[in-house]
């Protein structure tokens, strides 16, 4: 819910509650504020937020806390009082020694962890829906990308029986050719998907089929990876140019089928 | 009848009914659902299941010719993954388990999007395909799966003894790589070839990879396959030891697929002929496992590749770089031919399993029109063995004949190739790579191809699938070995190259893999392949790691001591001042909080 990791948020709030109840001193509150924020950024979100954003927030918060603590002479001395006592009073001698050892150890571990980040392959940005060409030629026919529509879509209302035949043919084409990558349920999770980079399109996703014209989908089917512009990293994609394997009718039929299966309509002409 | 007698009769009737219920196996009630439930199940089935299992449940859907293993034929009432005794029908929970999580590394996915009720309705509908589900005699009581025994050395050793005594190795191989002598001959009750589980790759177990799953498989067998039940021949405890042994063969729970090989630096010379030193060199190099999938983009598609992953390592010294790759293969095919560019006719994409082998819509004719007239690839002429004529002439007949006679012969050999870009991407466009399927006209690739019939590396330059030419610009050496179901191929080349890619230090070089299993008739573009991954040449001089760690600790410690020192000095000065003023130190002890 809300993209938050609720148990973490509840635990942090509970700790705050305990501190209020025990009337914690200023220093504890300042430390709590910063550490709780750190924990919230690191563990509080269901989907992790970028490290750089968290670092900026924590930096600003740290500065604000320092400003707050040093805003007046009284507040400053009140804030550092527990530290001074820790250093001076003999009964805290053991705690002081522990802290003197623990902090350098923590710093050393941090550096060690930084040095041992496992290597990863370089990653690159990739445009998922790059702009299509203005026109293309499929099986000797010129397709105007701006105006082309699925020629069988209108049968849905005009001739439901014929529409059903085209759908069934599209179903055949899909399960003879497509589901290895795009998946039986079209979640982009077919049995080969784990070996591919970029991963196959997920047709269940509202960010895929409904925002595209059927001519765009036709372009992707007919021309596949080799027809992508450079921004779409054509060299990495496994999508075949289906014009090599399928007739034009088969390509429009499977286009029809993937929309129908997911209960989506192609984006209409001129619709933004 | 007195009140007492009536009560007693009622009590006895209750006891009798309870006894009857206990005597009947839990799953034995014939429960075929209601008409409405089956109708609702049909709606779900028609949308999600029929394309593979067939709209009439006969396992003959659109996808069937191009998947292996074949989708279940529900009309036979034969099910592999069950908790019920051998030959019996599965329980609803058994069916539900497979629907929910699928069968890994097959075309059966899990269906997490279906609700529990939808799954139950589908189960009712699936059961309606076979009259067996109406027959109470076909129901058996589910076995009890005991808690796994602790995996001690003794238990594993006992499991090994059981493994040997029961002849598991005949199919699964000595060390479990699915390479037993019988492995190439196995078929299911429909006569379809069936692949033995590779016990070392637990993530590929189709019936599940937990110890409970493994125990269940021993105890109930896989109906319709050569995997028997050991319920009668093995004591429960021995089955548990066997579970521990099989589990110990596994190479981890997960494949842990990686994206990068780290090539480690060594001062030592790399001598391919000196096996021991070579092994020691690679011992120090990390191993990465990469996923392989079927090539289904270009003609010659491979819908069911045999090999699903490959492990790779790399080492380099001042002048040379060496790669080692390993993969599992049920048989070493070392007598046939192979090459990256060998033609694959359209009918062979699904091994001629579909009846429409020569009549695949209109497009297969187009395909033969485009490619059939071409000369056989140069390699065939070169090696002079069974040439292209033979292949195009009666290759298909041979195959269909052979399918009845037994396992396919070794017409094609096993092979492997590493693929690199012929040159690295220019500065500023690091993402630019050649097309990962054998390159393209602007950006060619180099293939280090080893036909395991010959065991030497041939280099090819690929400018797309239709343009793969042998090159001799660089000398690539290779040594190969096949041991207990595992191929190992080690390559070596000079690091610098004038014609191809050079391996500088701290460089990320794209690489991709191809594997051909001759047994599965893989050759040319019908292959298992990977996406582009990378090899990173680790710096030859490792930056010291101790110094920065110690430095961080010392800096923090010094700061701490400084603070302690300053605070104490100030307190002493204050005390001295106050003493002079005739007051006590008590003020510092007053809690200010």
């Amino acid at each position: 819910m809300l993209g938050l990791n609720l148990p973490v948020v509840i635990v942090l709030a509970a700790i705050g509650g305990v501190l209020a109840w025990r009337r914690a001193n200023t220093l504890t509150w300042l430390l709590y504020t910063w550490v709780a924020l750190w924990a919230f950024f690191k563990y509080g979100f269901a989907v992790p937020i970028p490290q750089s954003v968290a670092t900026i927030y924590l930096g600003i918060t740290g500065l604000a806390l320092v400003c707050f603590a040093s805003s007046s002479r009284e507040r400053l001395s009140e804030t550092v009082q527990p530290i001074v006592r820790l250093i001076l009073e003999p009964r805290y001698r053991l705690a002081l020694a522990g802290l003197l050892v623990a902090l350098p150890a923590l710093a050393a571990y941090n550096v060690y962890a930084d040095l041992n980040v496992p290597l990863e392959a370089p990653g690159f940005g990739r445009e998922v829906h790059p702009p299509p060409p203005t026109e293309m030629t499929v099986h000797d026919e010129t397709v105007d990308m701006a105006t082309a529509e699925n020629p069988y879509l209108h049968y849905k209302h005009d001739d439901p029986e014929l529409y059903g035949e085209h759908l069934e043919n599209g179903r055949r084409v899909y399960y003879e050719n497509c589901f290895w990558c795009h998946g039986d349920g079209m979640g982009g999770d077919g049995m080969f998907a784990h070996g591919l980079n970029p991963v196959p399109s997920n047709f269940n996703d509202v960010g895929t089929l409904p925002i595209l014209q059927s001519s765009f989908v036709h372009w992707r089917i007919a021309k596949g990876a080799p027809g992508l512009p450079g921004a779409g990293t054509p060299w990495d994609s496994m999508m075949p140019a289906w014009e090599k394997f399928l007739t034009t009718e088969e390509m429009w039929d499977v286009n029809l089928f993937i929309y129908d299966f997911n209960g989506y309509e192609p984006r209409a002409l001129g619709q933004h | 009848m007195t009140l007492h007698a009536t009560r007693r009769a009622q009590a006895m009737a209750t006891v009798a009914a309870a006894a009857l219920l206990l005597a009947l196996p839990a799953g034995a009630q014939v429960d075929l659902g209601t008409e409405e439930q089956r109708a609702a199940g049909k709606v779900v089935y028609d949308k999600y299941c029929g394309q593979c299992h067939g709209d009439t449940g006969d396992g003959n859907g659109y996808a069937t010719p191009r998947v292996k293993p074949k989708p279940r034929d529900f009309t036979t009432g034969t099910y592999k993954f069950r908790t019920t005794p051998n030959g019996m029908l599965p329980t609803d929970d058994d069916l539900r388990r497979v629907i929910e999580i699928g069968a890994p590394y097959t075309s059966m996915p899990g269906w997490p999007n279906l609700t529990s009720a939808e799954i139950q309705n589908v189960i009712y509908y699936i059961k309606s395909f076979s009259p067996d589900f109406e027959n109470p005699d076909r129901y058996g009581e589910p076995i009890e799966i005991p808690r796994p025994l602790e995996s001690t050395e003794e238990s594993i050793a006992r499991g090994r003894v059981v493994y040997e005594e029961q002849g598991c190795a005949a199919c699964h191989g000595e060390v479990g790589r699915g390479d037993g002598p019988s492995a190439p001959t196995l078929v299911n009750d429909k006569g379809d070839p069936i692949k033995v589980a590779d016990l070392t790759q637990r993530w590929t177990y189709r019936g599940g990879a937990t110890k409970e799953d493994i125990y269940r498989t021993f105890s109930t067998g896989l109906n319709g396959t050569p995997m028997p039940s050991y319920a009668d021949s093995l004591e429960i405890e021995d089955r548990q030891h066997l579970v521990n042994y099989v589990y110990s063969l596994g190479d981890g729970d997960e494949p842990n697929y990686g994206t990068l090989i780290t090539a480690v630096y060594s001062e030592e010379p790399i001598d391919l002929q000196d096996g021991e030193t070579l092994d020691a060199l690679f011992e120090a190099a990390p191993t990465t496992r990469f996923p392989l999938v079927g090539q289904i983009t270009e003609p010659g598609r491979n819908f069911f590749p045999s090999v699903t992953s490959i492990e790779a390592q790399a080492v380099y010294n001042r002048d040379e770089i060496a790669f080692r790759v390993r993969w599992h293969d049920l048989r070493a095919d070392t007598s046939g031919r192979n090459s990256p560019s060998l033609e694959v006719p359209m009918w062979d994409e699904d091994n001629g399993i579909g009846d429409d082998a020569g009549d695949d819509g209109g497009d297969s004719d187009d395909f033969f029109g485009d490619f059939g007239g071409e000369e056989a690839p140069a390699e065939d002429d070169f090696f002079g063995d069974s040439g292209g004529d033979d292949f195009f002439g009666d290759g298909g007949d041979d195959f269909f004949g052979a399918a009845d006679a037994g396992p396919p012969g070794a017409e094609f050999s096993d092979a492997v190739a590493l693929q690199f870009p012929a040159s690295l991407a220019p500065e500023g466009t690091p993402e630019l790579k050649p097309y990962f399927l054998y390159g393209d006209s602007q950006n060619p690739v180099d293939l280090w191809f080893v036909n395991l019939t010959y065991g030497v590396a041939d280099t090819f330059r690929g400018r797309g699938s239709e343009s793969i030419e042998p090159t001799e610009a660089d000398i690539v050496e290779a040594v190969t070995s096949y041991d207990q179901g595992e191929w190992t191929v080690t390559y070596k080349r000079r690091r610098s190259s004038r014609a191809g890619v050079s391996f500088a230090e701290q460089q990320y070089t794209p690489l991709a893999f191809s594997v051909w299993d001759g047994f599965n008739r893989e050759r040319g573009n019908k292959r298992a392949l990977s996406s582009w991954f990378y090899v990173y040449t680790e710096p030859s001089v490792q930056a010291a790691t101790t110094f920065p760690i110690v430095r961080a600790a010392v800096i923090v410690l010094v700061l701490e001591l400084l603070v302690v020192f300053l605070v104490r000095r100030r307190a002493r000065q204050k005390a001295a001042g106050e003493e002079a003023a005739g007051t006590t130190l008590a003020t510092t002890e007053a809690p200010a909080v």
Side-chain angles (χ1 to χ4, degrees), chain B residues 486-506:
Chain B
E486 182 175 69
W487 275 113
T488 302
V489 174
T490 312
Y491 293 90
K492 184 178 85 165
R493 205 204 71 182
R494 293 188 65 78
R495 276 173 59 198
S496 67
S497 162
R498 279 199 200 122
V501 71
S502 295
F503 297 91
E505 259 184 56
Q506 288 181 270

Side-chain angles (χ1 to χ4, degrees), chain A residues 87 100 168 195 238 244 261, chain B residues 47 62 297-298 531 568:
Chain A
I87 292 174
L100 284 181
E168 186 60 25
M238 186 119 170
K244 278 191 207 174
F261 184 93
Chain B
K47 175 149 185 173
Y62 289 133
T297 299
E298 300 275 343
S531 309
R568 289 203 164 156

